[in-house]
Amino acid sequence: ELITSKNTESAAESVELSEKVSALSLSIADKRVLVSTAASSIEEIDNRIKVIDEAEAQRKPILDELEKAKNEAQEELDKVTEKNNDLNNSLSGIELLAEKRLQKLNALKENENSLRNDLHIKNSRVAMLTDLEKNMEGYQGSVKAVMREVKHNVLKGIHAPVSQIISVKDKYALAVETALGAAIQNIITETENDAKKAINFLKESKAGRATFLPLTSVKGNELSEKGLDDCYGYINLASELVEYDSKYKGVITSLLGRTVVSEDLDSAVEIAKKYSYKFKVVTLDGQVVNAGGSMTGGARLQNAGILSRANEIEKLNKECNDIQEKLDIAVKDVLEQQENYSSLSAELEGCKAEIAFTGEEKIRMEGVLALKKGQLEAILNSKNEELTKHIIQNHHNNCK
């Protein structure tokens, strides 16, 4: 019974072991299948990785080239952007400077035009006064007649009317004209005989009367009263206030040597009274206290203005010369400033053209950069999608 029992147990164990062996055999078979499948998956993944590595190896030069091109495009864009900004800043400065130069140019042109207008006005005035002087406007007909004969070389030894052989400052012109009175048109001759011939001409031609002053006969003495210099309002003797050639000294002394010039009528009266009305006193504004005490004044004399006219011609000619010098400088300044402005205008246009060019270049480089970024992104996205697919596939295989 014991042996039978043992056999029974052994048989049961044998069956159990057999079942375990069978189960293990089945498990081993399953594991072998899993190992084989895993090996196939690993091989497939290795092959796919190999393909990806090969693709990556092919992509790398392209990616490197695109990355380099993108960086170069970015650098070029940065440069052209900086240059464009610098040019815009320069443009603002050039425009401001150009505006200032234009303002200066306009001011210089305005000054030039003003000088031209002033010169034209004064030249016209000189021409008019010179014409009057040439035609002896304001002179008596007899004087004109004599001087015409002189020009025609008919009369000899005739110098000129008194008015034409003296010059006087504007300040004293009216006083001297008043002091001379009608004598301002007296005609100076070389000799008495020359004067006689001129008088005969006037008589025969019935051209009127004139007074002649032969240098050989007309002499005069200047006042030598003591204390005149100390009198209130005293200016000088009329003969001392005119300029003339020394050969006319006798004539001028005879006409003006005994006439005093004073500031005003009050001082003239005081001076005349102090010296018992021995000589004539004339004021700057043309009033007269005559020798003997009579007084004349209130209106300009018929001959007034002849000396002033000559003075004005001389003064205007000097002013015209001064204006012409200023005008020459002004014209030079305008031309120089015009060149400066034109040069800057050309620089301004050049800057604008360069800004336009760099602006277009900037837009072009932005397009190039965007293109390179897009190409790079497209390749990177394509690579990532492929890797993602392999990762997902590997994950699914591991889960089986």
Side-chain angles (χ1 to χ4, degrees):
E1 291 180 0
L2 180 59
I3 293 172
T4 301
S5 175
K6 290 289 185 181
N7 285 337
T8 301
E9 288 179 0
S10 295
E13 288 179 357
S14 178
V15 170
E16 184 179 352
L17 288 172
S18 182
E19 289 177 350
K20 286 182 178 181
V21 169
S22 295
L24 286 171
S25 296
L26 288 173
S27 177
I28 288 170
D30 288 341
K31 297 299 182 184
R32 283 176 177 170
V33 170
L34 287 174
V35 168
S36 177
T37 302
S40 296
S41 295
I42 290 170
E43 184 179 358
E44 182 181 355
I45 289 171
D46 286 340
N47 289 334
R48 287 177 178 270
I49 289 173
K50 184 178 180 181
V51 170
I52 291 172
D53 287 343
E54 290 175 355
E56 181 66 18
Q58 292 175 349
R59 285 192 188 95
K60 192 174 186 310
I62 298 174
L63 287 171
D64 290 344
E65 185 178 347
L66 283 174
E67 185 69 29
K68 181 181 178 183
K70 184 201 78 170
N71 291 336
E72 288 176 350
Q74 183 66 58
E75 288 178 5
E76 288 298 317
L77 177 59
D78 291 342
K79 287 179 181 178
V80 77
T81 298
E82 183 179 3
K83 186 175 183 180
N84 187 264
N85 291 337
D86 290 343
L87 285 170
N88 275 295
N89 291 333
S90 297
L91 179 65
S92 298
I94 295 173
E95 285 177 334
L96 182 61
L97 184 57
E99 179 63 25
K100 289 181 178 179
R101 287 191 181 180
L102 180 59
Q103 290 175 355
K104 183 177 179 180
L105 177 61
N106 290 334
L108 288 172
K109 284 182 176 179
E110 186 176 344
N111 179 55
E112 179 189 347
N113 291 333
S114 176
L115 288 170
R116 286 189 187 280
N117 290 336
D118 195 14
L119 184 61
H120 175 71
I121 291 171
K122 291 185 185 299
N123 276 330
S124 297
R125 176 70 176 168
V126 168
M128 189 253 315
L129 292 173
T130 301
D131 190 54
L132 291 177
E133 192 71 7
K134 181 180 178 180
N135 295 324
M136 299 189 73
E137 192 70 28
Y139 288 84
Q140 296 172 358
S142 58
V143 177
K144 290 182 182 180
V146 170
M147 298 312 295
R148 274 197 301 268
E149 293 303 298
V150 172
K151 287 182 180 179
H152 296 155
N153 292 320
V154 176
L155 292 175
K156 305 294 183 180
I158 307 296
H159 286 246
V162 171
S163 61
Q164 295 182 0
I165 61 96
I166 64 173
S167 63
V168 59
K169 293 181 180 179
D170 280 342
K171 182 178 180 181
Y172 307 123
L174 180 56
V176 171
E177 286 177 351
T178 304
L180 286 170
I184 198 171
Q185 297 193 36
N186 289 357
I187 300 172
I188 300 171
T189 65
E190 189 69 28
T191 65
E192 292 98 324
N193 193 46
D194 295 325
K196 282 168 59 178
K197 290 179 180 179
I199 290 172
N200 286 332
F201 159 73
L202 290 174
K203 182 178 178 181
E204 291 172 3
S205 61
K206 297 182 180 179
R209 297 169 64 85
T211 300
F212 296 88
L213 306 172
L215 293 178
T216 52
S217 62
V218 178
K219 308 294 178 183
N221 296 313
E222 287 186 339
L223 280 174
S224 58
E225 301 290 341
K226 294 181 180 180
L228 267 177
D229 291 349
D230 298 326
C231 291
Y232 173 78
Y234 173 81
I235 294 176
N236 212 330
L237 295 178
S239 57
E240 297 296 322
L241 298 177
V242 295
E243 295 180 2
Y244 53 88
D245 191 295
S246 59
K247 64 185 176 182
Y248 299 122
K249 182 170 178 60
V251 170
I252 299 304
T253 302
S254 69
L255 295 176
L256 298 173
R258 299 189 63 80
T259 300
V260 169
V261 177
S262 68
E263 291 282 353
D264 51 36
L265 188 56
D266 288 339
S267 59
V269 170
E270 289 300 317
I271 292 170
K273 185 177 180 181
K274 179 177 179 180
Y275 291 93
S276 305
Y277 305 100
K278 292 179 182 179
F279 47 80
K280 181 164 63 176
V281 184
V282 180
T283 66
L284 292 178
D285 63 352
Q287 313 307 317
V288 183
V289 179
N290 297 294
S294 64
M295 299 171 65
T296 304
R300 287 178 64 84
L301 300 175
Q302 181 182 355
N303 297 297
I306 292 178
L307 282 182
S308 298
R309 183 168 66 202
N311 280 0
E312 186 175 358
I313 291 174
E314 183 180 357
K315 177 183 177 183
L316 286 172
N317 279 326
K318 184 179 183 305
E319 289 177 356
C320 286
N321 290 335
D322 291 343
I323 293 172
Q324 185 63 58
E325 289 179 4
K326 292 178 181 178
L327 180 58
D328 292 342
I329 295 173
V331 170
K332 182 180 178 182
D333 288 344
V334 167
L335 289 175
E336 184 178 338
Q337 188 63 18
Q338 182 68 63
E339 290 178 2
N340 290 340
Y341 177 68
S342 297
S343 174
L344 196 61
S345 295
E347 185 179 345
L348 183 64
E349 292 305 314
C351 187
K352 287 181 179 179
E354 200 167 356
I355 286 174
F357 174 77
T358 54
E360 293 173 358
E361 189 69 7
K362 180 182 177 183
I363 293 172
R364 187 183 73 81
M365 291 310 302
E366 286 174 343
V368 170
L369 181 61
L371 176 64
K372 297 305 176 185
K373 282 183 176 179
Q375 290 174 341
L376 191 60
E377 187 176 347
I379 291 177
L380 288 174
N381 287 341
S382 173
K383 180 185 73 172
N384 289 339
E385 287 174 4
E386 192 167 349
L387 287 173
T388 301
K389 287 179 182 178
H390 285 287
I391 291 171
I392 293 172
Q393 183 69 38
N394 188 39
H395 176 73
H396 285 320
N397 289 336
N398 288 335
C399 292
K400 287 181 179 179

